[in-house]
């Protein structure tokens, strides 16, 4: 009710009784119907709204399920805002596979309480950002190991050798890093797995290879400039969507080199 701010009706599930109908609502949205709107992180400018359909969301769940061998036994950490893609992936990938989502208030509880919380809840999948991961690792004692985590997913920004070194110190040999390119505009595109103990020779970790349902085209700056000029001759509504989404994806790719 507090989130609705009095502008929308709020339903308290705990207060529902058996007098309410329990029939299937029989709502069958079309695959291309709008399912949600989420926001970009704003790392390449102001946060922008991105629209996703009922086809996109289960496709993203399928890709993560197959790549990470997600099961009902998995327990997912959730600490980000529900309006960002990270939360969408966590919630739907966990619940549609019969797993569990464990919300953690990082702003209120900080990194200090997080190791014990992860161990006590036996979290198996931990999704985070490079900066958050680095700050969290800096608070751990040298011999601290998060034994239950089997997948450490780090994305949105480049990963460096120092991230892999921290991973090798604080995670078990059975754990892997899942690092890739997954812009909010089109979800996961490329994925790479870095096994525990891997020696990283280069400065940045590779983002891997395209998923089976994705095709990657490398676009040089000249092509980007041509597209910008062509967009100037199009209708404003199409230009706004097509060019801005294109530019966000290009910027996201450039961060990874």
């Amino acid at each position: 009710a507090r989130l609705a701010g009095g502008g929308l009706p709020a339903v308290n599930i705990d207060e529902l009784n058996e007098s309410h109908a329990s029939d299937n609502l029989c709502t069958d949205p079309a695959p291309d119907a709008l399912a949600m709107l989420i926001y970009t992180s704003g790392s390449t400018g102001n946060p922008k709204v991105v629209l996703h359909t009922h086809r996109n969301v289960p496709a993203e769940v399928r890709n993560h399920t197959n790549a990470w061998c997600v099961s009902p036994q998995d327990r997912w950490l959730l600490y980000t805002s529900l309006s960002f893609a990270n939360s969408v992936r966590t919630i739907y990938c966990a619940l549609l596979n019969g797993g569990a989502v464990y919300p953690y208030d990082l702003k209120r509880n900080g990194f200090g309480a997080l190791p014990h919380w992860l161990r006590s809840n036996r979290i198996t999948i931990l999704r985070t950002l490079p900066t958050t991961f680095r700050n969290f690792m800096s608070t751990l004692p040298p011999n601290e190991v998060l034994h239950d985590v089997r997948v450490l997913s780090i994305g949105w920004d480049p990963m460096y050798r120092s991230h892999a070194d921290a991973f090798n110190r604080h995670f078990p040999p059975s754990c892997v890093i899942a690092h890739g390119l997954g812009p909010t505009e089109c979800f996961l595109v490329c994925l790479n797995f870095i096994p525990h103990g891997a020696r990283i020779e280069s400065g940045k970790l590779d983002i891997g290879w395209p998923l089976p349902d994705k095709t990657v085209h490398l676009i040089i700056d000249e092509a980007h400039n041509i597209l910008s000029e062509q967009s100037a001759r199009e209708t404003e509504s199409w230009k706004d969507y097509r060019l801005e989404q294109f530019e966000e994806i290009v910027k996201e790719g450039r961060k990874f080199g």
Side-chain angles (χ1 to χ4, degrees):
R2 185 172 68 252
L3 292 176
L8 294 172
V11 177
N12 188 337
I13 297 178
D14 295 330
E15 296 177 355
L16 296 179
N17 55 53
E18 297 181 356
S19 64
H20 293 277
S22 59
D23 297 336
N24 192 323
L25 295 178
C26 297
T27 301
D28 299 310
D32 292 326
L34 178 64
M36 67 179 69
L37 62 85
I38 52 180
Y39 290 86
T40 62
S41 64
S43 60
T44 57
N46 294 326
K48 295 181 175 63
V49 175
V50 177
L51 307 180
H52 278 291
T53 67
H54 284 274
R55 188 194 307 275
N56 293 359
V57 177
E60 181 76 347
V61 172
R62 176 201 61 204
N63 288 339
H64 281 83
T65 299
N66 294 341
W68 297 359
C69 299
V70 178
S71 76
Q73 285 71 47
D74 279 315
R75 297 163 172 238
W76 300 60
L77 165 68
L78 175 65
Y79 72 91
T80 52
S81 167
L82 298 182
S83 62
F84 290 106
N86 185 34
S87 298
V88 171
R89 293 170 172 127
T90 295
I91 293 170
Y92 285 99
C93 287
L95 299 184
L96 290 180
N97 280 288
V101 177
Y102 287 76
Y104 181 81
D105 192 335
L106 184 59
K107 183 177 294 186
R108 172 181 297 179
N109 300 319
F111 292 119
L114 185 54
H116 174 74
W117 186 90
L118 291 171
R119 289 193 301 270
S120 62
N121 289 295
R122 302 186 65 183
I123 299 300
T124 62
I125 296 181
L126 195 161
R127 298 176 56 87
T128 186
L129 311 177
T131 302
T132 307
F133 176 73
R134 182 175 63 251
N135 292 336
F136 176 38
M137 293 295 101
S138 68
T139 67
L140 298 180
N143 60 346
E144 180 86 35
V145 178
L146 304 172
H147 290 286
D148 293 303
V149 180
R150 69 175 189 87
V151 176
L152 171 64
S153 172
I154 306 181
W156 285 274
D157 284 308
M159 280 188 66
Y160 298 94
R161 186 184 304 161
S162 60
H163 295 105
D165 293 340
F167 164 72
N168 290 329
R169 285 195 302 271
H170 297 294
F171 290 81
S174 58
C175 188
V176 298
I177 294 176
H179 178 54
L181 175 64
T184 304
E185 293 79 7
C186 56
F187 286 153
L188 190 61
V189 177
C190 297
L191 182 62
N192 191 17
F193 289 106
I194 297 92
H196 192 276
R199 293 172 58 91
I200 307 301
E201 302 296 338
S202 60
K204 292 181 180 180
L205 276 66
D206 294 334
I207 58 173
W209 296 267
L211 300 180
D213 66 337
K214 298 293 192 303
T215 301
V216 174
H217 299 276
L218 299 179
I219 303 174
I220 59 176
D221 285 342
E222 286 77 9
H224 173 241
N225 293 336
I226 291 172
L227 179 58
S228 300
E229 294 172 359
Q230 290 177 341
S231 296
R233 295 193 296 269
E234 296 172 344
T235 62
E236 287 301 316
S237 59
W238 179 242
K239 169 190 170 183
D240 289 344
Y241 182 80
R242 179 169 171 260
L243 183 57
E244 288 185 10
Q245 300 302 311
F246 172 83
E247 288 178 339
E248 284 296 312
I249 296 172
V250 170
K251 290 176 184 177
E252 196 74 18
R254 283 173 178 163
K255 290 195 301 183
F256 294 85

